[in-house]
Amino acid sequence: MEPHEDKNKGDLSRRKFFQTAGITACALVSGGASILGFDFLRPRVLFELPTKFTLTRPDAIEVGSVITDEPHHVYVARSSHGFRALSSVCTHLGCITRYSPDEGIIACPCHGSKFALDGEVIAGPAPRPLPCLQLDLSPSGLIVVDTSIEVPQETVFKL
Amino acid sequence: MRNDGGGLDRIWFWFAAMSFVFLVVLAISPIKDYFREYRKYQIDYRDQLLERAGTSRELRDANREGVRIRQIWNPDYPNRVDRCTSCHLGVENPGMADASPPLRTHPMTPHTPEQFASFGCVTCHRGQGRATTMMDAHGLASDWATPMLPLRYTEASCGTCHMDEEVPEANLLSRGRTLMAELGCYACHEVDGHEAWESDAPDLDGLSRKTSPEWLRTWIADPQSVRPTTKMPYIQLGQSEIDSLVAFLWTRPAGEDDFLQDEENPAGDPDRGETLFRESRCISCHTVDGRGNGSAAELSGIASKVNRRWLIEYLENPHALQPETKMPRYYFTRQDLLDLSQYLMDELWDPEAPPPVEQAFRPPQKMVEGGMRTFRKYGCSGCHQISGLTDRSRIGPELTGIGRKPVDQLDFGRRDDLPRTLHDWIGAKVSSPRSFRDGLKMPQFILEGEDLTAVITALLSNTGEVIPEEYRVERVIANYDPPGRFGELVDRYRCLSCHEVEGVGGDISTAPLTVEGSRVQESWLKNYLLRPSTIRPILTDRMIPLRMPEEDAAFLANFMQNVYVDDDIPARLFSEEPDPANVRRGSHLFYERYGCQACHMIDGRGGYFGPLLDEAGVRLKPGWVYWWVLGSQRWRDDVRCPDYGVPDRDALDLAAFISSLGRTP
Amino acid sequence: MRKTTRILVYLAVGFGFVLAWLPAGRSLLFGSDPTDIDMNDSLQTEDIITDDAWRTPIPDLGYREREGRALFRHYCALCHGQSGEGDGFNAYNLDPKPRDLSDHEFQTAQTDEDLAEVIGGGGGDAGLSNAMPPWGKVLGERKIGYVIAYLRTLADSLPETD
């Protein structure tokens, strides 16, 4: 029965081959499909303001002055030491604060919190200082703010 | 056993085959994703960045560039996302100026690179910002309503927000808009914001007293062949239409036949007339054989156009015959009028003009009525006023929104040769309007080269889009009406034909009068009005001697001295005569430090582009000189006197020096 | 076995179709594709857009050169002349005479930065005549860039080499 056995063996190995190939392909399909599925769930682009954006040229901000970027809720202040970017969202209940150039402080209109230009709380119910944000310079020489990266309060960016 | 085994075999085989097919089908999506058009550019961009990186920081930034969709999203424009930067990667990177598109740096413009994030790309270039392939994004392959503007028309996009006629740093657009107003597009076409457009074409009443039917016929047939500089277009009328139109015009009001006889006006002295013609500086506005300012009519050939009696009447008081004319009323004596008209009639005739037929022209009534219909049909009343026809309705279609019209809404008619694009259609419409089909009425304008591109740009800029309020730069329509007796004199002398006051008036003169009282001294101004002297020898269009009575000059000078002042300009700079040391220092600064003599002449020394300063001490107020030196662009932003960034002390000394010129201590 | 071969042939054909459907695969199978873009062929977009056979002549100058021309004619041509040859009507009284800007050697010798420095800061600061005023405050960096872009179009063509 050797030939029979042989043939059977051949049949078996072919079946084995198809089995292995089929199952492997199946596994690849399901694995790939789930990866693609998750990839599909993650948006490629978002319809929101980018967290990293360019503002003006550094020399457009005079020493001692503050510019406000309303859409991104960011202040960029320039002191004699350098530049500093602050979020303008109050750490108390999320109101949008305002910079008052006369007093040189940032004030929240909702509950009267006041912040210094380095973000520290001067008065009012705010629990934390205003977050300090990452600053950079774009290749074309414009200020780049990245709101997704917070930096320590004392950080000052120099040109 | 074998059979069973064979059946199982087959099932396993099909299982494997189908799994493989599934795998292939599943692979399509990631493979397609892998071969995205922008991927190629993004990888190339990163390679180029790595190649160019000079510092470790640049190297780090370059390595961070991954393959992803990049976009500019501006919430002010609700439905706009510009993904152009997915391929045009280097637009914001000045280091890519020498790269080839699409990686090349965007050139510096008034809004870039500072405002990329708020303007995006589509705002200026049009196209489909959401698309991520070139054919779709540029709006070429799809039925996208607003495909990309060719680069030469991009300035049209400046005009979607800037409604003004003159848009800064958009020469082509400004030129196009000015041309549209000059050529009278708004006479026939309604366009939002230009309802108040006024034609400066002459009134057509009383032509039978002015000219001859023969001249009129030649003129209407083809105005540009008679006078190439005319703004009147070639209307392409048939012979019968021309005849009837002449008949109609001739009877408004009913003709006088004695235009050839002129017994009441004896011959004048043409030589004295010529002197008068030159003294009166007629070419400050008119041209003779193309020489002169060109804002008023060319005068060569005038003798063949008008008869002498009309000319005398017109020179005596232009406003009686053409109430809207820009020409001032000179105080000519009767002898002046005879001599001047004699000179014009003797010298300025057109050898090609048809000789007047010495026979009265009495057109039949039917022809006159036909002429009226022709007049209406071609919308002549859009530009010309004529008694008995008060309706000035516009005969052309409205043009608001033409700059964004989808191509499938355009009528290409016979023009199969045109590419199916909006700018080509507009270009052909403007340059050969009658070529589209029979029965069209738009006349033929002479528009070539850059002027044609300019007009196409101006039309493309009229998109009728609703732009967010904060982006709009509205058209400022200045309104100034000089009051009382001053107003009457300004009207009589037509000061505003050349001078600008508070944004109103012409631009022939380089001197706006808005702050004239702070600028010049009253006694000088009065003398200048009586006998204008040469201030800027380089100009052909200089102040005209109006021969006004002394009391008018005194009144005008006094009024301007008191009303046309600016409080920012110091009225009295020095309480006493400045120290000679300061004058000397000012002189040194004038010649050695700032090199003012490059343009200004004093005692015959120096350039002659700027005003002569010989009499500056008599003419200008010291406060004005001081204010001027500290920033002359505050007066007119196109003043050519450069801003040297003069320190205050230098400005005072320069004012002391210049105010000392021409004065006898 | 024959059957398997047939099936494999079917699969291969099927895979071929899929490949043909993919843009990248198509170029692999049939060579270059009409919608495929050559990275270095910068003119392609313009070709499609400006392929108009009719009469609009394309202006010779681009945006920056055109802006520069207007500025040059307004501010510079008085001394340097309409074509930049230093023959403006105000040039006769100047000593030294204004530079001939169309001179080929001058144009190649000066970088854009050199030109910007003299235009912006004036001749006096650059050790040249003080009759050349500083335009930096009036024009600003961008407009000076326009002017330089236009100046480059004024250069004489290369001198013939023998």
Side-chain angles (χ1 to χ4, degrees), chain B residues 511-663:
Chain B
L513 298 178
T514 315
V515 294
E516 191 70 359
S518 299
R519 196 163 84 98
V520 298
Q521 300 177 20
E522 186 177 345
S523 53
W524 176 87
L525 183 55
K526 187 187 144 199
N527 282 329
Y528 185 70
L529 288 169
L530 290 170
R531 286 169 296 276
S533 53
T534 300
I535 298 176
R536 304 181 61 146
I538 201 67
L539 299 180
T540 49
D541 20 345
R542 285 181 232 159
M543 177 77 176
I544 51 175
L546 287 150
R547 299 158 179 272
M548 62 174 74
E550 189 155 348
E551 56 170 328
D552 282 5
F555 180 83
L556 286 170
N558 183 266
F559 184 94
M560 285 193 258
Q561 196 61 220
N562 291 304
V563 179
Y564 287 174
V565 290
D566 184 346
D567 292 339
D568 289 346
I569 305 167
R572 287 189 62 81
L573 188 69
F574 306 116
S575 49
E576 51 195 67
E577 281 293 311
D579 189 8
N582 291 44
V583 174
R584 273 199 304 280
R585 186 166 177 272
S587 164
H588 178 79
L589 290 170
F590 184 92
Y591 287 108
E592 307 303 329
R593 173 74 186 87
Y594 297 113
C596 306
Q597 78 281 9
C599 291
H600 293 284
M601 192 179 281
I602 301 173
D603 288 337
R605 198 184 137 201
Y608 70 138
F609 175 69
L612 301 177
L613 293 180
D614 284 325
E615 291 190 336
V618 185
R619 180 165 75 93
L620 300 169
K621 295 186 166 177
W624 168 264
V625 179
Y626 167 77
W627 186 82
W628 173 277
V629 167
L630 287 179
S632 48
Q633 276 71 26
R634 292 179 286 178
W635 187 49
R636 267 179 77 144
D637 54 13
D638 58 349
V639 165
R640 292 172 176 99
C641 187
D643 185 349
Y644 286 87
V646 177
D648 197 67
R649 178 163 171 247
D650 287 8
L652 281 170
D653 290 347
L654 279 168
F657 168 63
I658 291 169
S659 313
S660 73
L661 296 166
R663 280 168 65 203

Side-chain angles (χ1 to χ4, degrees), chain A residues 86-156:
Chain A
L86 290 172
S87 158
S88 67
V89 183
C90 180
T91 49
H92 177 225
L93 289 173
C95 287
I96 302 303
T97 58
R98 288 195 202 115
Y99 171 65
S100 117
D102 300 333
E103 299 164 80
I105 56 159
I106 295 161
C108 178
C110 295
H111 306 98
S113 298
K114 286 179 181 163
F115 304 90
L117 284 185
D118 57 358
E120 293 299 338
V121 185
I122 302 173
R128 285 185 312 281
L130 290 175
C132 230
L133 307 169
Q134 172 78 36
L135 273 177
D136 210 341
L137 215 54
S138 77
S140 49
L142 302 175
I143 292 181
V144 180
V145 183
D146 194 339
T147 52
S148 61
I149 306 176
E150 276 189 38
V151 294
Q153 217 64 30
E154 59 272 14
T155 322
V156 172

Side-chain angles (χ1 to χ4, degrees), chain C residues 68-86:
Chain C
R69 182 182 60 190
L71 293 167
F72 182 86
R73 291 193 176 160
H74 186 77
Y75 293 104
C76 320
L78 310 167
C79 295
H80 288 285
Q82 289 282 332
S83 52
E85 288 167 3

Side-chain angles (χ1 to χ4, degrees), chain B residues 256-325:
Chain B
E256 295 183 25
D257 308 319
D258 55 350
F259 64 93
L260 287 171
Q261 284 80 51
D262 185 13
E263 276 113 25
E264 56 197 270
N265 294 314
D269 174 3
D271 292 337
R272 188 169 169 270
E274 183 174 3
T275 317
L276 262 173
F277 183 79
R278 296 193 191 288
E279 273 177 10
S280 305
R281 298 215 62 85
C282 302
I283 58 161
S284 280
C285 299
H286 290 277
T287 50
V288 177
D289 291 326
R291 285 196 306 275
N293 175 280
S295 54
E298 165 72 45
L299 291 181
S300 58
I302 186 152
S304 309
K305 174 184 173 184
V306 303
N307 62 68
R308 182 160 175 246
R309 201 179 63 188
W310 182 89
L311 190 60
I312 291 174
E313 265 180 58
Y314 186 75
L315 289 170
E316 204 275 319
N317 183 5
H319 309 161
L321 293 168
Q322 294 286 344
E324 301 297 324
T325 184

